[in-house]
Amino acid sequence: KAGVTQTPRYLIKTRGQQVTLSCSPISGHRSVSWYQQTPGQGLQFLFEYFSETQRNKGNFPGRFSGRQFSNSRSEMNVSTLELGDSALYLCASSSRQLHTEAFFGQGTRLTVV
Amino acid sequence: QQQVKQSPQSLIVQKGGISIINCAYENTAFDYFPWYQQFPGKGPALLIAIRPDVSEKKEGRFTISFNKSAKQFSLHIMDSQPGDSATYFCAATDNTDKLIFGTGTRLQVFP
């Protein structure tokens, strides 16, 4: 069974640009969550999508958005990039039965210069 | 109230020793407490998890101890091995399944 796939693995963007990250969940999983990981703030929840609907949202500015497609693949978009957006962005998929394991991808390392 | 506090920040243990990582929470709505292990360049992977209706859960060399009244839980790694060297995160969640992570503990096990 293939794991969670995130693309691209690495990205370098300039301040002010926008970026789109992609996540393909494990086959059959309908819930996709996104997390930001930084040395200073640790792992922070961005948002969760289930059946193309945003179910939960963390405390991030509106520049961070996402969507989920009918095949459960998800994309995350960050507009007007700031230096502080440099981070590892992790996607996790689960079957969305309450309290089942969330499987994480390897992440996308975003560097904003 | 959404925070999960984790300590220590780093831990050095000799091979064969016991590694202990502690976490504390405030939100009494939390009802599921997983621990994640993360190796460099990889995403976190679930190690072991516990619900507050039990005080201890053991899986192999890994044990979670849970103290509901103190709102604390800890991970014990028995017979620590160099392969256990990684960063460990405690987490908590309620019925939203939104994971609130601790700040992480970098464990180094020396032979």
Side-chain angles (χ1 to χ4, degrees), chain B:
Chain B
Q1 202 184 21
Q2 284 290 312
Q3 283 186 331
V4 176
K5 294 181 181 178
Q6 184 172 348
S7 63
Q9 192 173 12
S10 63
L11 185 59
I12 299 174
V13 171
Q14 200 159 17
K15 179 183 174 183
I18 302 173
S19 304
I20 302 174
I21 304 170
N22 301 299
C23 285
Y25 64 98
E26 292 289 330
N27 189 348
T28 55
F30 287 150
D31 63 356
Y32 181 66
F33 302 86
W35 284 86
Y36 282 82
Q37 180 188 55
Q38 186 177 27
F39 292 103
K42 303 288 187 183
L46 180 67
L47 195 60
I48 186 172
I50 196 168
R51 297 172 199 267
D53 54 345
V54 298
S55 60
E56 187 175 281
K57 183 174 180 181
K58 184 176 180 179
E59 288 184 3
R61 297 184 295 109
F62 302 91
T63 301
I64 300 178
S65 297
F66 190 86
N67 185 329
K68 189 174 181 178
S69 60
K71 289 184 282 186
Q72 295 175 346
F73 58 110
S74 61
L75 175 70
H76 291 64
I77 305 174
M78 312 300 287
D79 187 25
S80 298
Q81 300 296 312
D84 296 331
S85 297
T87 301
Y88 292 81
F89 294 92
C90 62
T93 186
D94 52 22
N95 61 3
T96 66
D97 257 352
K98 166 180 149 181
L99 286 166
I100 306 298
F101 284 93
T103 49
T105 296
R106 187 181 173 206
L107 171 65
Q108 294 175 275
V109 181
F110 285 94

Side-chain angles (χ1 to χ4, degrees), chain A residues 61-78:
Chain A
R63 301 185 295 106
F64 292 81
S65 63
R67 58 178 176 168
Q68 186 179 35
F69 301 95
S70 58
N71 62 357
S72 294
R73 190 177 72 85
S74 177
E75 287 182 348
M76 190 192 106
N77 185 274
V78 188

Side-chain angles (χ1 to χ4, degrees), chain A residues 35-46 59-61 64 83-90 109, chain B residues 2-6 9 38 87 89-90 99-104:
Chain A
Y35 291 82
Q36 182 195 62
Q37 185 172 25
T38 60
Q41 299 297 318
L43 280 151
Q44 292 188 292
F45 174 80
L46 281 155
N59 297 323
F60 279 81
F64 292 81
L83 297 179
D85 297 332
S86 296
L88 180 68
Y89 290 89
L90 291 158
R109 172 74 63 184
Chain B
Q2 284 290 312
Q3 283 186 331
V4 176
K5 294 181 181 178
Q6 184 172 348
Q9 192 173 12
Q38 186 177 27
T87 301
F89 294 92
C90 62
L99 286 166
I100 306 298
F101 284 93
T103 49

